[in-house]
Amino acid sequence: MKLQRHRFQILPAVVLAACVPVAFAQKPAQTPPPQTPPAPTTPQSQPAPATTSTVQLPTTLPGTPQSTPPVPSPRAFATVTKDAEEHNGFFTLFEKDDRVLLELKPEQLNKPYYLSINRTGGLGENFIYPFMMRGYIVEFRKVGGLVQMIAKNTRYRAQEGTPLALAAQQSFADSLLGSAPVVSEPHPETKAILVDANALLIADIAGTATELEAAYHAPYAFDQRNSSFTKVRATADMATFAVSAHFAMPKIPAPSNNNNPNAPTLPGTLEDARSMFLGYHYSLAKLPDQPMRVRKADARVGHFVSRQYEFTSDIAPFPRQYMVNRWRLEKKDPTAALSEPKEPIVFWLDRNIPVEYRDTVKAGVLEWNKAFEKIGFKDAVRVEMQPNDADFDTADLRHASIKWYLDTSDGALAIGPRRVDPRTGEILDADIAISQGWTRLPRRLAGEQFPKPMPRAAHSNDEGTLCEYGAESFNEAAFAAGLLEARGELDPSSPEAEAIVKATLKDVVTHEVGHTLGLRHNFRASTIYTEEQISDPEFTRKHGIGGSVMDYNAWNIALDKERQGEYVMSTLGPYDYWAIEYAYREIPADKESQELSRIASRSNEPQLAFATDEETGIGIEAADPEVNQRDIGHDPLVFAQRRMTLSRELWDRWQDRKLPDGEGRDVLYRNVVSGFSQYSLAAQVAAKYVGGVVYVRDHAGSPRASFTPISPERQRQALKLVTDGLFQVDSFKFKPEFLTRVAADPFEAGVGERASFTLPARVLAVQTQVLDRLMSDAVAQRLLDSSFKIEGGKKGLTLADLYDTLQGSIWSDLKGTGDIPLMRRNLQREHVRRVTFMLTRANGTPADARALQRENTKTLVTQLRAAEKRPGLSKEARAHVADARDTLEEALKAPMQRVGI
Ligand SMILES: [Zn+2]
């Protein structure tokens, strides 16, 4: 399942709110849905262009409803601008009362400009945040009494002046973003005309109505009458427009009490949910006079790319070309080994960043200068502080920025989006947004109330999409802090805690700035250093804890009494230097191709290990156990084992801890739950080894194969870790008197049953996640296929091995003498459900997998029949055994049906 990454320039915020969870969510169960609560459903919204049925058409089209004034007959230029305030600039603006006129000189028509849109006022929830949104190449076209603002389609092209250029133009359409009446006669000398900027820009160009519909299923619409400009500005190379945009619905939909997932919900942060004012900032700017020289992308190094269809030559097998997204960086003195750039990359710290964190943020940005220095640039990246009385908004196109935002979710999110000239890949602007959660998280110790999953944000290699560096970090930080507190190694009010907050924040800033420099994630980088190395504080201070700041590195937590390295990544890794070199090293044009392939061909060096979002995948599709978000150390299987150990330590310590009188017991709840989330992460990392395949992007000439199945020994080790660590009852031992005191905070959870902690349900949730993977078609298929990829007739882990091991472990009680406890019965029931599903489903299950399960089921039925008569079973266990036997016998007899898909 793949996002249509290249095809659409998706509205980033719509992606955030809706598309990605769909794209990245676990594949719909091919095994029957477990009885654990389903993942929150997410509305399936299509990538939405600015005009869809739910978005107002550009309200300025003649004949559309809403407040379009009739096109007035133009009056003399001087008459129209009389008494108006003139903002002189590249685009001159005239402002009078609440109206703004945009002057267009004849030479400004039919020329490309950049229109960028940021949201500057949000809702504080549901991804309606003040984030960078998207950008367009626009042209103004005069059609009769109207000026149209056209979004130019620049992605499909052929060499100017050739027949194919004409064909490209005829084959791919432009779009209309808005239009406005011409309100003046041409200026007598300059021939400039004036257009109504209110009509042009006070509109829902960003498609927020669709975003709101996706988020709330409520019929919010843009209301032009109550929307207005709040500030306009003209500079030597752009005009900016700040808009207060009103969205409303006439009435709140009546509540519906069914379980319709599409039933309307309402924003929780509004005083009156029928109405909201959101803020938008438009920059209409000059494009670079001289387009930047394109740098060809190489898939072995992780850069964001712009994709263009270049049809000129039909010798290439495909017309698609990939250009690295990068800033224009040129040496002042090209002959010097180390030179300042002609123009540095400047990041502005927004005035909304709390004073006490500004130095940390600055340090996080400037960390990148180490990589630029290595390729001959001195002070390539600089930091400026936005003055409190600054006239500009950092949302504009000329100020790359870092900004804080607040929301009501308890997680921590940070994003690093960019604006790119789609013709060349040149990065024009970037506005990083960092949630305040980052500075609370590590200090919050036992974490927040619930491990509420943060909605996943977008990752793609298109410009305009976002990075999320927060989803699991919430659990991660809570876990680490809870453990350190319980060990007595960290006091939340100590300077050490403050230092950890700042170290975490610096890491986040460096990661996000990395995205805005054009770098994608690298989720294999965490594997380059040994466990020994990352436990050495001196080593980690020098080298960090992994190969890249573009990984989501897990907190580096030592086992009890072990040596402790740095907790978080404190500097760039070798991969980061390499990726910057590929994108930014100055290379003479005639040597570029050769030099770039030399740089990229280093991809098989162990220190440069790389794999990005596509390789990580989510859930069952993910096949490469070396590529994980939030792991650390050379061997992810060792990481998994250590995390299980740390989770048990966390649980044990909190069980033994006497809370001071008066302290809320929700701290116990939070720690038990955060232990489970880490245990689950660990189990899933381990399970990826079964049927796992390492995939690298090397080209011919590299000694490494593209696909390398995990060795049978490692697969067996992983399977043993899972069956021992997850399926045995004593994996999850808690004292009853502890469990009866694990209570959530009533303010957050409600009271009574709702605030209670149910151990069997938690355990089952972790178990079923792993069962879903191990009994999936994808893993079955990979194990069946792997026999072709193992050389010399060596015996790999077979599918029969896997199914036998699972069945033997899950039903081991049948061979014993005692009772079958509740948690074992739950697990066995889930196994029966999945087996039944595989046996009775007509399509999907690989034939060999079904045949094996039939065989195994017959054996199991015999064992169940014998066990039914055994003494020592409780009534519940006896009923369970009989029920399982019945169900399996039915499944063996049943004709195959079409179910489940
Ligand atoms: Zn990221």
Side-chain angles (χ1 to χ4, degrees), residues 459 467-469 511-512 515 521 550 552:
H459 289 96
C467 154
E468 144 272 329
Y469 189 0
H511 176 101
E512 297 306 330
H515 283 316
H521 288 137
M550 303 314 295
Y552 290 177

Side-chain angles (χ1 to χ4, degrees), residues 705-717:
S706 296
F707 298 94
T708 309
I710 298 294
S711 76
E713 300 75 41
R714 299 282 283 158
Q715 295 197 51
R716 287 200 181 91
Q717 270 174 20

